[in-house]
Amino acid sequence: MPLRAKVASSVSRTAAALSRAAGRGDGSVIGGWIGLKIDPELLAHLAAGRAIALVSGTNGKTTTTRLATAAVGVLGKVATNSFGANMPTGHTSALAKAGSTPYAVLEVDEHYLAQVLDATDAHVVALLNLSRDQLDRAREVAMMAQLWRAALIRHPELRVIANADDPMVVWAASPPTNHDQRITPPQVVWFSAGQRWHDDSWVCPECGSTIARQDNQWWCTGCPLRRPQPQWSVEDDGVMDPTGAWHKVQLQLPGTVNLGNAATALAVAAEFGVRPVDAVLKLGSVTSIAGRYAQVERDGRLIRLLLAKNPASWLEAFDMADEAPTLLSINARDPDGLDTSWLFDVDFSPLQGRQVLITGDRAFDLAVRLDVNNVPFQHVRTFTEAIQSVPPGRLEVIANYTAFQDIRAELDRVL
């Protein structure tokens, strides 16, 4: 690297280490922020010479990145932003901290995908899903798909792993009908993991007609856009690869959605030459991800933490949660989005019949929504009060981002 980049990288690592030592955080942002101030091209310098995979989407990025890192790890050391700092500052800090590694798997915020593709010259990108998320400060879903589409066409050498079940992702990964025929579009490998949330993809992004669905198929009623045939798919409790071979997947993570994340991770690893039969053995080593899915025993209660930050992820969280007392926590701070109206896009009826507690900065917004769904609840002011309000045994905790971090801190920053 140029001398300036070497100095910036060294300062980045030092700043991150000082942040951790001072208890001010994990250093995954501050190190990259300072490094990029010294050398704005630092991310590109650090990415040079590595085979890089990027993972992006509205939901499932952090988990899929961790699973893909484990799978690619069959080949050697892999750099990754394991704490979920998914903007260029986080990528820069992660690569600087890792030092020289042949591979990197990076989670990327969907808004920054174009910028990170340009900076890293990635080998492969996995596109998971697109749905509404923090609309008070983020782009509408169709606009996000358009940005992805424009970014991908600029990288014809890229390999794309894309979700065949999400019409927005399929459209984004497909070349525009009027694209320059002299430019070869990226090659796309499709995976299927099912899609439970449909409310952001009833309208075709190509022509504006209705999207029709039957069983696991979908198609536009006004143009040729339709579900492509996937090469990777979830079958029962395993994954079918492009050769037709089935691989049993034994995860320590709950929920059928994580089988889909595992299928994506196997597809990413295959692009690096890792055989599915070797990669699948590594997936079971992943337990919790920055506190997600962590289980902690406290005062006779077995507490499990589930992160849910938008309507689609709340739907999946309800699927993962056991029939047990459940604490819901909602904040509306800047990282969460300030508008809580999205709560009315979530169907809370699966919680009927169980003990429900609510807390967080915007607990009363949640109270109104639960009342509409005829779900009885108890308001608690602290996490300690919540623990004392339920009998010994399982306690499910479902929280959005900063509420999740608040509870995680009370549990001593469980990993």
Side-chain angles (χ1 to χ4, degrees):
M1 290 192 297
L3 178 60
R4 184 173 182 175
K6 290 180 180 178
V7 171
S9 180
S10 177
V11 172
S12 172
R13 289 193 296 272
T14 301
L18 288 173
S19 176
R20 290 190 293 272
R24 300 297 297 272
D26 53 39
S28 58
V29 173
I30 187 63
W33 185 85
I34 292 175
L36 288 169
K37 287 295 183 183
I38 298 171
D39 181 1
E41 301 299 319
L42 181 57
L43 178 56
H45 291 308
L46 289 169
R50 303 183 207 243
I52 295 178
L54 306 179
V55 178
S56 194
T58 305
N59 294 310
K61 297 185 293 292
T62 305
T63 301
T64 303
T65 298
R66 184 67 67 86
L67 291 169
T69 299
V72 176
V74 170
L75 300 175
K77 190 175 180 183
V78 183
T80 188
N81 49 338
S82 57
F83 291 104
N86 57 21
M87 298 178 191
T89 51
H91 306 139
T92 302
S93 187
L95 295 183
K97 179 183 177 183
S100 179
T101 65
Y103 307 100
V105 179
L106 301 175
E107 171 191 344
V108 183
D109 182 280
E110 55 270 33
H111 299 83
Y112 287 86
L113 182 60
Q115 180 181 339
V116 177
L117 275 173
D118 291 341
T120 61
D121 194 24
H123 174 66
V124 59
V125 60
L127 306 178
L128 305 183
N129 47 65
L130 284 172
S131 65
R132 66 191 72 175
D133 188 33
Q134 301 178 21
L135 291 182
D136 61 306
R137 67 180 183 88
R139 288 180 174 86
E140 193 271 336
V141 175
M143 293 175 65
M144 196 70 258
Q146 177 63 57
L147 284 176
W148 276 11
R149 192 181 225 198
L152 296 177
I153 200 67
R154 297 200 306 269
H155 295 272
E157 75 291 345
L158 186 67
R159 296 281 290 186
V160 179
I161 310 296
N163 185 356
D165 297 318
D166 189 329
M168 291 297 178
V169 170
V170 171
W171 182 80
S174 304
T177 54
N178 61 347
H179 81 281
D180 188 340
Q181 297 299 318
R182 294 170 297 178
I183 300 176
T184 304
Q187 285 186 286
V188 182
V189 175
W190 303 103
F191 71 88
S192 170
Q195 185 190 31
R196 290 159 57 87
W197 177 261
H198 295 155
D199 285 0
D200 290 306
S201 54
W202 286 113
V203 176
C204 175
E206 178 67 29
C207 71
S209 299
T210 303
I211 297 287
R213 287 183 168 88
Q214 184 175 7
D215 299 327
N216 66 346
Q217 299 295 316
W218 61 262
W219 62 93
C220 174
T221 57
C223 76
L225 186 69
R226 65 179 301 116
R227 180 181 183 267
Q229 182 64 34
Q231 287 90 0
W232 296 81
S233 59
V234 172
E235 299 284 347
D236 299 321
D237 57 349
V239 173
M240 192 80 72
D241 73 19
T243 69
W246 181 82
H247 306 275
K248 184 176 178 62
V249 176
Q250 294 180 306
L251 297 177
Q252 296 191 56
L253 307 178
T256 55
V257 68
N258 281 319
L259 274 176
N261 293 335
T264 311
L266 293 176
V268 169
E271 294 300 322
F272 289 95
V274 180
R275 299 185 308 161
V277 69
D278 296 324
V280 75
L281 299 175
K282 296 291 186 178
L283 303 183
S285 65
V286 178
T287 52
S288 70
I289 297 95
R292 298 163 175 85
Y293 319 117
Q295 299 193 64
V296 181
E297 189 169 353
R298 183 66 56 88
D299 297 334
R301 282 78 173 174
L302 183 60
I303 303 160
R304 179 164 60 179
L305 305 182
L306 299 174
L307 175 68
K309 55 186 182 176
N310 51 51
S313 59
W314 277 83
L315 185 67
E316 298 298 345
F318 294 151
D319 179 62
M320 295 180 199
D322 290 345
E323 292 281 343
T326 302
L327 172 67
L328 309 178
S329 185
I330 293 291
N331 289 344
R333 302 171 195 168
D334 188 61
D336 308 304
L338 306 180
D339 181 359
T340 59
S341 63
W342 60 268
L343 289 170
F344 283 83
D345 295 331
V346 180
D347 178 13
F348 287 91
S349 61
L351 298 177
Q352 292 172 352
R354 71 178 74 177
Q355 183 182 2
V356 175
L357 303 97
I358 63 171
T359 192
D361 300 346
R362 302 299 286 268
F364 294 144
D365 293 355
L366 183 57
V368 173
R369 180 67 188 96
L370 292 173
D371 189 59
V372 170
N373 253 144
N374 296 314
V375 176
F377 59 88
Q378 174 187 348
H379 177 235
V380 294
R381 296 188 179 277
T382 65
F383 185 61
T384 300
E385 184 182 346
I387 293 175
Q388 295 170 346
S389 300
V390 300
R394 168 76 77 182
L395 172 61
E396 299 283 10
V397 176
I398 307 175
N400 70 342
Y401 187 73
T402 63
F404 182 91
Q405 299 303 338
D406 288 348
I407 292 171
R408 186 177 165 218
E410 290 204 42
L411 292 171
D412 302 321
R413 300 293 293 179
V414 60
L415 296 177

